[in-house]
Amino acid sequence: MDDITPIYHNPFGVAFQWKRNTIKDIRKIQIVFRDTGLLLTEKELVQL
């Protein structure tokens, strides 16, 4: 868990941001629901 910055978690999943990102992914947030992961920008996250 040293590689991530947790944003939110509950029994269904977790939202976090990677500490070490490539330049193109630095502004994206990773959301994980059970065994499915989504890597989203802030704009994509608001549209959900």
Side-chain angles (χ1 to χ4, degrees):
M1 296 285 273
D2 293 334
D3 293 340
I4 65 168
T5 303
I7 298 170
Y8 179 80
H9 73 282
N10 63 23
F12 296 105
V14 62
F16 62 89
Q17 189 167 27
W18 291 101
K19 288 184 180 177
R20 292 183 220 140
N21 287 330
T22 61
I23 297 299
K24 67 178 182 172
D25 291 339
I26 200 161
R27 305 284 291 165
K28 292 189 177 182
I29 296 171
Q30 180 86 30
I31 300 176
V32 179
F33 298 98
R34 299 189 190 227
D35 59 352
T36 302
L38 302 170
L39 186 61
L40 305 169
T41 63
E42 184 178 354
K43 183 177 178 182
E44 292 169 330
L45 186 60
V46 171
Q47 290 178 350
L48 291 176

